[in-house]
């Protein structure tokens, strides 16, 4: 050990204290507005089912239909790889994992729809039935990890109906055992932050009526109008919506077709990879970053139906759009048909399987300060561990293989994925 270097300073301690005192309000606002990702599982998709069509067998039916389509149009790994352009090295693993997923957990997030997709005649009865069936599904173990409803929006023409359906549904859940942990509510066609604030007041009133903990009910905001992205004064409305939600917003969901139509995009070009869609989602992504609010891509309306050639064309489109979204950090999207499930999971599994070994090696090197050909920082370690955790949660990766290649436990990964705010600005090892 050499002689300890003498350290000279010029400023009194009062300088540091004064600076800290001047930033107390900033520190508090950072903690309030940007708490970071909640660290819970994010579903890879959301499936929408009309309220009048939803029943106790819906989830299993979607899985069975998807399996039947896989058996008919891609019965083995080679045929799936040829249809989608999967790398040969991944084909067997991805095909096997897709089949297992469809058998075990075909739907990760289900929304019973009482908005655009609803065509029933008795909305009260359908909402009450949805509450009963969802409660029973959670009780008997047949529920998707996340389930809930999309009600009508806060616009004048349908506001009362949306409020009533929300009340009927939530009251039904309380009557049948309480609010499940996986409950999700989706508020569509939001154009003004005040509409978000109004929905917050509705949820506050319900919580108070039932003696629930304040803030128990959260909700997603659907971005389907141009005004939701850019306000009349040129500000980003979506950022103000997150604030108006008062900590209750859990997600921002892009509405492909309503948003495209709002901008005048012709029907033939309404897609999630249109430049207008990319612009909207980029604004959503920046507004949500660090807030704990997650961003979801939209859907494709090209359905995989008909002869095998036509199914494969639709599958390639859906697979490509899903892979594109994943590369842009949109880890969730909408699926509109059981035939979208095979390509949703094929795309997700291939995404995580392709990058798994490199991510594991980099995180292992970072954790062990072992160096390597890439010098990663704490923020990148967070991204690497989040990538691995997402892969584990959806079934693309196995906990044991991740532990074997990283030398890290699930708790270790969680720690890297959700560091304290100050840790992200620390010097890399």
């Amino acid at each position: 050990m050499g002689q300890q270097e003498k350290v000279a300073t010029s400023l009194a301690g009062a300088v540091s204290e004064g600076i800290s005192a001047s930033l107390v309000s900033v520190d508090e606002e950072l903690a309030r507005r940007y708490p970071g990702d909640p660290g819970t599982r994010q579903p890879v998709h959301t499936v929408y089912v009309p309220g009048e069509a939803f029943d106790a067998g819906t989830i299993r039916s979607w899985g069975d239909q998807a399996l039947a389509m896989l058996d008919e149009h891609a019965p083995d790994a080679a045929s799936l790889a040829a249809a989608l352009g999967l790398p040969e090295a991944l084909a067997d693993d991805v095909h096997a994992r897709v089949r297992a997923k469809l058998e075990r957990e075909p739907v990760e997030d289900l929304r019973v729809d009482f908005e655009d997709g609803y065509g029933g005649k008795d909305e009260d009865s359908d909402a009450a039935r949805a509450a009963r069936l969802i409660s029973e599904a959670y009780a008997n173990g047949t529920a998707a990890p996340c389930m809930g409803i999309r009600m009508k929006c806060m616009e004048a023409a349908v506001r009362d109906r949306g409020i009533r359906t929300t009340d009927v549904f939530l009251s039904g859940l309380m009557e049948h055992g309480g609010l499940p942990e996986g409950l999700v509510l989706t508020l569509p066609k939001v154009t003004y932050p005040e509409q978000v604030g109004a929905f917050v007041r509705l949820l506050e009133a319900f919580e108070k009526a039932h003696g629930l903990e304040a803030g128990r009910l959260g909700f997603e905001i659907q971005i389907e109008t141009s005004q939701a992205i850019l306000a009349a004064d040129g500000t980003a409305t979506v950022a103000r919506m997150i604030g108006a939600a008062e900590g209750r917003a859990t997600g921002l969901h892009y509405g492909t077709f309503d948003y495209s139509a709002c901008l005048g995009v012709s029907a033939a070009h309404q897609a999630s990879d249109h430049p207008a869609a990319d612009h909207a989602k980029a604004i959503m992504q920046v507004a949500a970053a660090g807030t704990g609010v997650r961003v979801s891509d939209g859907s494709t309306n090209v359905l995989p139906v008909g002869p095998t050639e036509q199914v494969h064309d639709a599958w390639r489109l859906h697979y490509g759009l899903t892979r594109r979204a994943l590369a842009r950090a949109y880890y969730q999207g909408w699926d509109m048909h059981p035939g979208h499930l095979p390509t949703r999971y094929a795309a997700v599994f291939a995404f995580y399987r392709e990058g798994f070994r490199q991510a594991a090696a980099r995180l292992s090197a970072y954790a062990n300060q072992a160096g390597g050909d890439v010098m990663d920082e704490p923020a990148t370690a967070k991204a690497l561990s989040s990538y691995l955790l997402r892969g584990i949660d959806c079934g693309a990766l196995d906990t044991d293989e991740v532990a074997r290649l990283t030398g890290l436990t699930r708790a270790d990964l969680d720690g890297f994925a959700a560091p304290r705010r100050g840790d992200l600005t620390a010097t890399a090892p």
Side-chain angles (χ1 to χ4, degrees), residues 365-383:
Y366 176 89
N368 295 296
Q369 302 187 33
D373 58 357
V374 179
M375 187 174 70
D376 288 318
E377 298 183 352
T380 305
K382 172 183 169 71

Side-chain angles (χ1 to χ4, degrees), residues 158-405:
V158 294
R159 183 184 302 138
D160 288 345
R161 180 66 260 180
I163 291 171
R164 181 173 176 84
T165 295
T166 303
D167 185 11
V168 169
F169 175 70
L170 293 176
S171 297
L173 291 178
M174 295 301 295
E175 182 180 346
H176 294 289
L179 305 179
E181 285 302 314
L183 174 65
V184 187
L185 304 174
T186 304
L187 180 65
K189 293 184 175 60
V190 183
T191 54
Y192 282 79
E194 289 80 2
Q195 293 169 327
V196 172
F199 198 65
V200 169
R201 303 287 86 78
L202 171 62
L203 299 183
E204 285 177 338
F206 187 88
E207 289 167 350
K208 184 175 181 180
H210 288 272
L212 297 171
E213 178 185 1
R216 169 64 181 86
L217 289 163
F219 59 99
E220 302 165 336
I221 302 169
Q222 271 197 288
I223 306 301
E224 303 177 89
T225 67
S226 62
Q227 297 93 337
I229 295 297
L230 191 69
D233 62 1
T235 59
T237 315
V238 64
R240 294 170 54 210
M241 288 177 180
I242 293 173
E246 299 178 16
R248 294 177 185 265
T250 59
L252 302 174
H253 283 229
Y254 176 67
T256 305
F257 305 105
D258 281 293
Y259 187 86
S260 298
C262 184
L263 267 63
V265 178
S266 63
H269 297 283
Q270 293 177 0
S272 61
D273 59 351
H274 190 280
D278 285 341
H279 172 261
K281 287 180 288 188
I283 299 296
M284 291 162 59
Q285 192 172 46
V286 173
T291 65
V293 179
R294 289 158 166 173
V295 176
S296 173
D297 198 1
S299 60
T300 175
N301 59 358
V302 179
L303 304 183
V305 297
T308 294
E309 183 178 359
Q310 188 172 323
V311 169
H312 283 185
D313 287 343
W315 273 359
R316 276 190 292 273
L317 173 66
H318 186 239
Y319 177 86
L321 290 173
T322 303
R323 287 300 305 264
R324 184 180 189 272
L326 289 166
R328 286 158 174 76
Y330 309 129
Y331 298 112
Q332 186 174 354
W334 295 7
D335 288 328
M336 311 300 288
H337 187 275
H340 286 144
L341 299 186
T343 37
R344 169 68 60 182
Y345 292 124
V348 170
F349 294 169
F351 175 75
Y352 290 110
R353 299 301 302 179
E354 282 179 354
F356 158 52
R357 293 184 179 277
Q358 183 185 48
R362 286 176 64 179
L363 186 59
S364 177
Y366 176 89
N368 295 296
Q369 302 187 33
D373 58 357
V374 179
M375 187 174 70
D376 288 318
E377 298 183 352
T380 305
K382 172 183 169 71
L384 291 167
S385 54
S386 295
Y387 173 88
L388 296 173
L389 286 168
R390 290 179 186 278
I392 291 171
D393 285 343
C394 71
L397 307 176
D398 300 324
T399 303
D400 290 346
E401 65 178 343
V402 173
R404 186 170 60 252
L405 290 187

Side-chain angles (χ1 to χ4, degrees), residues 11-282:
L11 303 177
V15 174
S16 178
E17 293 170 4
I19 291 173
S20 292
S22 72
L23 291 174
V24 166
S25 61
V26 171
D27 294 339
E28 291 174 348
E29 183 162 352
L30 275 171
R32 179 175 62 85
R33 289 186 180 274
Y34 302 102
D37 190 85
T40 54
R41 175 180 177 181
Q42 181 180 10
V44 302
H45 69 169
T46 301
V47 162
Y48 279 72
V49 177
E52 74 277 15
F54 175 66
D55 61 34
T58 292
I59 292 175
R60 188 60 265 154
S61 173
W62 271 61
D64 290 343
Q65 291 178 69
L67 282 166
M69 292 192 68
L70 192 65
D71 288 340
E72 180 178 358
H73 302 293
D76 52 40
S79 55
L80 184 65
L84 303 182
L86 272 172
E88 184 178 346
L90 291 176
D92 287 337
D93 195 5
V94 168
H95 189 270
R97 287 177 184 272
V98 169
R99 281 202 62 88
K101 181 74 170 181
L102 296 176
E103 292 167 353
R104 175 180 57 84
E105 188 183 70
V107 174
E108 292 198 358
D109 183 23
L110 185 142
R111 209 70 71 249
V112 183
D113 192 16
F114 291 96
E115 202 230 358
D116 285 349
Y118 181 67
K121 303 299 183 183
D122 188 347
E123 191 162 334
D124 277 359
S125 288
D126 287 337
R129 183 169 55 88
R132 175 177 58 81
L133 291 174
I134 287 174
S135 294
E136 291 173 356
Y138 277 106
N140 63 29
T142 61
C146 298
M147 298 183 76
I149 65 167
R150 177 171 71 169
M151 68 292 296
K152 291 177 175 62
C153 68
M154 287 286 111
E155 293 179 357
V158 294
R159 183 184 302 138
D160 288 345
R161 180 66 260 180
I163 291 171
R164 181 173 176 84
T165 295
T166 303
D167 185 11
V168 169
F169 175 70
L170 293 176
S171 297
L173 291 178
M174 295 301 295
E175 182 180 346
H176 294 289
L179 305 179
E181 285 302 314
L183 174 65
V184 187
L185 304 174
T186 304
L187 180 65
K189 293 184 175 60
V190 183
T191 54
Y192 282 79
E194 289 80 2
Q195 293 169 327
V196 172
F199 198 65
V200 169
R201 303 287 86 78
L202 171 62
L203 299 183
E204 285 177 338
F206 187 88
E207 289 167 350
K208 184 175 181 180
H210 288 272
L212 297 171
E213 178 185 1
R216 169 64 181 86
L217 289 163
F219 59 99
E220 302 165 336
I221 302 169
Q222 271 197 288
I223 306 301
E224 303 177 89
T225 67
S226 62
Q227 297 93 337
I229 295 297
L230 191 69
D233 62 1
T235 59
T237 315
V238 64
R240 294 170 54 210
M241 288 177 180
I242 293 173
E246 299 178 16
R248 294 177 185 265
T250 59
L252 302 174
H253 283 229
Y254 176 67
T256 305
F257 305 105
D258 281 293
Y259 187 86
S260 298
C262 184
L263 267 63
V265 178
S266 63
H269 297 283
Q270 293 177 0
S272 61
D273 59 351
H274 190 280
D278 285 341
H279 172 261
K281 287 180 288 188

